[in-house]
Amino acid sequence: LDAALTIFSQVGYDAARLNDIAKKADVTRGAIYHHFENKAGLFMALIDGADSVGNKGIEAAVQEGGTFIEIMSRILVYGMELMEEDRRFREVMALTLSMTGESEELRDYRTKRQEQTEQLVQSIAGFFQMGLESGELRKNIDPVIAARAFLAYQSGLNLLWKET
């Protein structure tokens, strides 16, 4: 996975070749196929790993409890700490934001990401609804729009981080 991340980060998904990844990992191309169906499967394993790390942080922020503002603040801080401290997470986020290309091989990936994003929006919208009900937010806020704005803010921070 580290070798794949290096190659994907250097040349992007479309230009990456399994031969180059195998050479970087000092394994055969067959060894890659033993673990992953294809290049898209390898790429998706990187994404799934980063998602798992990020989701654990969100779960921990929620489980600590507190007010809406406290929970959402912890989620933002955790995301920024991950960007600072976890090289793999940071590089995978850079890939997902700007280096996936439009390859037909990633059609399933894009569909899966859209579904996951919509689930995440609904989950975050539930938190915004909690903030509305507790009186921490103005009553005229649409929870779904606020959730999308929150995710856009996080993505923007990740993009800015990538540029520094």
Side-chain angles (χ1 to χ4, degrees):
L1 288 173
D2 284 338
L5 181 57
T6 297
I7 299 298
F8 288 139
S9 294
Q10 289 173 348
V11 300
Y13 177 84
D14 288 333
R17 302 286 170 249
L18 285 179
N19 284 337
D20 296 331
I21 294 169
K23 183 177 178 182
K24 179 77 176 168
D26 199 27
V27 299
T28 66
R29 189 175 154 146
I32 293 174
Y33 280 115
H34 177 74
H35 296 283
F36 305 98
E37 183 178 340
N38 52 27
K39 182 170 77 166
L42 179 57
F43 182 81
M44 288 174 21
L46 283 169
I47 305 302
D48 289 345
D51 283 349
S52 177
V53 169
N55 289 341
K56 285 178 184 172
I58 291 170
E59 290 170 13
V62 172
Q63 288 177 353
E64 282 185 48
T67 66
F68 165 79
I69 298 295
E70 291 167 341
I71 292 170
M72 295 306 273
S73 294
R74 281 195 302 269
I75 290 171
L76 276 174
V77 167
Y78 181 74
M80 293 300 96
E81 287 174 345
L82 270 177
M83 292 294 287
E84 172 72 20
E85 298 167 4
D86 189 323
R87 177 196 58 82
R88 180 180 276 185
F89 182 83
R90 184 174 53 251
E91 290 179 9
V92 170
M93 289 301 100
L95 281 175
T96 63
L97 291 170
S98 63
M99 299 184 75
T100 57
E102 295 298 321
S103 174
E104 182 62 25
E105 296 171 2
L106 293 179
R107 181 173 20 103
D108 291 341
Y109 159 75
R110 285 188 291 275
T111 299
K112 178 181 175 182
R113 292 304 283 179
Q114 288 171 341
E115 291 168 358
Q116 288 173 331
T117 299
E118 191 52 40
Q119 289 172 355
L120 185 56
V121 165
Q122 293 306 315
S123 177
I124 293 170
F127 289 121
F128 276 92
Q129 185 62 44
M130 184 178 93
L132 286 166
E133 291 169 3
S134 70
E136 292 178 82
L137 297 174
R138 294 187 324 258
K139 296 293 181 195
N140 64 342
I141 291 177
D142 181 312
V144 173
I145 292 172
R148 290 186 187 285
F150 181 81
L151 289 174
Y153 179 74
Q154 278 191 311
S155 293
L157 288 173
N158 290 342
L159 277 172
L160 288 171
W161 197 291
K162 178 182 169 267
E163 298 301 320
T164 59

